Amino acid sequence: GAESDCHPDLTAAISIRRMRSMRLYGNGHLMDDLAGSMMLTEPDPLHQLSSDLERLLSVACQAQTSLLAQVGLGHMEEGTKVLKKWPQGSKWCNPKGAQPALFAYNPGPKTKESALAKALVRFGPATGTRRHRHLTDLARVGVVFSNSCSLSLGLRTILSRFEVVRVRNFYDLQGTNLLGQRWVEVLVIVHDGVAEPHICEIRMEELCFFKAREETQALVDSACRGLSALYCQLAGGRECAMVEYLARWTLCKPHEPK
């Protein structure tokens, strides 16, 4: 099957599946959740510095350029040069900042409409007007590897080159989402070329799972838009973007064991 094609090295496949997610504990120490829980303390709070969406989106555009330069080139470069070489929607082969990745792709910064919908659906009920500061994927990049062994090595590279504040492993079968996706999510803080430090997302995938997601994306988008359109028709056109995001999140969110 597709998964066996992804894992020619069985040891690496088992290792990546067993790898624990990591967060900051004890005032800035990155450790896996089991070790952190043994400290009998809550994880350190993680959020953007500002709750103002307009400011966050402005800083995210700067952070996107910085993130692309550090992942693709392995160092900072003038923003206009990076964006010309690596425009939104394109790929960068053999990124130096995430070796030994096959390529990295630039999805572009999150749009304002998507940010509004995610913040309201995910964080609005609990945090109200401060909901936007919990958006940690306004600036993001994807990195794709040939197999799980390469992905593990790539994670080591990122841990050594970036200020990593969280690692979430979505290879655990108990946490698999409804679409069967597998990836590792890494949150990093970018300091260079930005008005203020900004949390960004690096999504790490194996090639076969990346291809599967690409091939099914149009169907997922169509289903989510269709559900949103049906709701808006019945409810008079209100909150369509929120309903579309909720449908997408239901399909993509990790399963939470009972």
Side-chain angles (χ1 to χ4, degrees), residues 61-62 64-66 68-69 73 76-86 193:
C61 289
Q62 301 169 352
Q64 182 75 15
T65 301
S66 177
L68 294 179
L73 300 171
M76 281 297 298
E77 184 175 298
E78 186 179 337
T80 54
K81 293 182 180 179
V82 174
L83 294 178
K84 285 181 180 179
K85 295 178 180 178
W86 194 1

Side-chain angles (χ1 to χ4, degrees), residues 23-223:
R23 287 187 279 189
L24 298 180
Y25 290 88
N27 297 320
H29 299 284
L30 185 67
M31 58 182 67
D32 68 62
D33 287 336
L34 179 59
S37 65
M38 293 177 67
M39 296 176 61
L40 302 179
T41 182
E42 291 289 325
D44 295 348
L46 183 63
H47 54 72
Q48 306 287 11
L49 294 178
S50 175
S51 296
D52 180 79
L53 182 58
E54 294 298 336
R55 178 172 179 78
L56 285 171
L57 292 173
S58 176
V59 176
C61 289
Q62 301 169 352
Q64 182 75 15
T65 301
S66 177
L67 183 65
L68 294 179
Q70 293 181 60
V71 169
L73 300 171
H75 59 81
M76 281 297 298
E77 184 175 298
E78 186 179 337
T80 54
K81 293 182 180 179
V82 174
L83 294 178
K84 285 181 180 179
K85 295 178 180 178
W86 194 1
Q88 182 173 330
S90 64
K91 300 174 182 177
W92 186 287
C93 294
N94 303 313
K96 294 182 179 179
Q99 294 177 338
L102 295 173
F103 61 86
Y105 62 95
N106 173 20
K110 205 175 196 71
T111 65
K112 182 177 182 179
E113 182 182 35
S114 296
L116 284 167
K118 179 176 181 176
L120 185 60
V121 172
R122 295 276 300 280
F123 311 115
T127 59
T129 58
R130 296 185 297 172
R131 59 187 178 271
H132 298 120
R133 69 176 184 167
H134 298 288
L135 297 171
T136 55
D137 62 344
L138 296 175
R140 65 268 175 97
V141 68
V143 187
V144 178
F145 301 84
S146 58
N147 53 53
S148 56
C149 182
S150 295
L151 191 150
S152 295
L153 294 174
L155 180 57
R156 293 182 192 176
T157 300
I158 290 173
L159 287 169
S160 67
R161 299 181 71 103
F162 290 86
E163 182 181 346
V164 177
V165 293
R166 186 163 190 189
V167 178
R168 300 183 70 189
N169 182 16
F170 296 113
Y171 272 78
D172 187 345
L173 291 179
Q174 292 184 339
T176 304
N177 63 25
L178 293 176
L179 298 177
Q181 297 171 340
R182 306 281 197 282
W183 78 100
V184 175
E185 175 188 291
V186 182
L187 299 184
V188 303
I189 297 182
V190 167
H191 295 272
D192 297 330
V194 292
E196 62 187 28
H198 191 84
I199 302 172
C200 308
E201 179 186 283
I202 300 177
R203 180 182 178 117
M204 306 177 67
E205 288 180 289
E206 291 177 68
L207 181 60
C208 61
F209 292 122
F210 173 79
K211 286 183 175 180
R213 186 163 61 88
E214 268 197 327
E215 292 170 1
T216 57
Q217 192 62 55
L219 293 174
V220 172
D221 290 344
S222 177

